[in-house]
Each structure stands twice: as C-alpha cells, then as structure tokens.
Amino acid sequence: RLSMLEVISKYNMNCYFYAPKDDLYLRDKWYERYDTENLSILQELVEKARQCCLDFYYCLSPGITISYTNQMHFESLIQKLKQVYALGVRHFGILLDDIPNTLQYPEDKERFPSIAEAHAYFVNRLVDYLQDFDASIKLALCPLQYYGSGEEEYIRAFSALLPKDV
C-alpha cells in the first residue's frame, strides 16, 4: 500500500480511499477502535499519503451490523472516526454498499418505512456531527445502490433526503 501511494501520486492523482477488505476494523469490527499495532500501520499510511500530497479517505462499512437508531452504535462510529482523526485524517467515507437491502433490527423497522430513509437519517446525523466537530472534514458516501440511471427507487428516496452537498 505504501508503494501504491507513490504510484498514485506519480500519476497526478489526488486522493486515496482506504477501504481494504483485509482490514477487519473497517467492516466486521467497524465499532472497535484500533489496537496499537494496527493503528501504527494506519498512521504510516496516513503519513505516506501526506508526503505524496494525497487526500487520505478513511472508509468505514458499518452496514452489516449497524442499527441506524441505536445511540451506542452511533457513538462507537464517532469514537472510531475520532481515533483516526487524531492521526490527521480529515477525509472520511461511509460505504453502505454490499449489505442487505432490508432493515435488520426491529427498532429500525419500526422507525423507518424504508432502508433509504434509514440511510438518510444516519448520513444526515453523521454529517451534522462532523460539521459541528470540524467543518473542514470531507465525507464521501457510497450508497446501497451505486449504479443505474438515478431514477431507481432507493436512489431517488435516499438522495431526496440528503443535503445538496452530500
């Protein structure tokens, strides 16, 4: 990955999205903070990206196990992002793709008529929190459905509930 950052920079690219499937802390353990060893590895990547003049996007994929209404889940996500923020990361990504296309928890099913509305609630809440925490933070988003003409039911419902700058 360190050498890939050099290649990306050499070809005048400007960002790197960190979302490898082998980092269990991004998907399976999204709610856990990094241990010292893995945090050190991530720090090395962040530093290398900075040296290569690349924006480093740290991406989490919480969609398999997150409950969108669970305050403890939201707090776990925030604590994880703050841990990575402390490394100097100011660009984040939330990846909601490759997950079930239905709500999984009873409390989410009771509150939201669709997964699009649950995703919009979650993303809007996160955007509000991050903007209050540090307005310079950038957030990228990959929705559940990321292909098509834009007229698909999920895409229409989800995008209609997001701020225009998301």
Side-chain angles (χ1 to χ4, degrees), residues 125-137:
R125 191 170 177 210
L126 181 59
V127 167
D128 289 346
Y129 181 88
L130 292 175
Q131 288 302 298
D132 287 346
F133 181 71
D134 181 344
S136 73
I137 290 175

Side-chain angles (χ1 to χ4, degrees), residues 23-34 58-68 70-84 93-96 99 104-105 122 126:
D23 183 340
L24 298 178
Y25 288 96
L26 300 181
R27 189 172 177 95
D28 295 339
K29 295 181 178 185
W30 66 266
Y31 48 85
E32 289 185 24
R33 296 179 74 188
Y34 281 93
Y58 177 81
C59 301
L60 280 177
S61 299
I64 289 181
T65 58
I66 194 168
S67 168
Y68 303 104
N70 185 308
Q71 181 62 27
M72 288 178 36
H73 285 191
F74 188 76
E75 288 297 324
S76 293
L77 179 90
I78 294 302
Q79 292 308 310
K80 176 69 142 291
L81 295 180
K82 283 183 173 181
Q83 183 186 34
V84 177
I94 296 296
L95 310 180
L96 297 171
I99 62 172
Q104 302 173 74
Y105 294 96
F122 170 68
L126 181 59

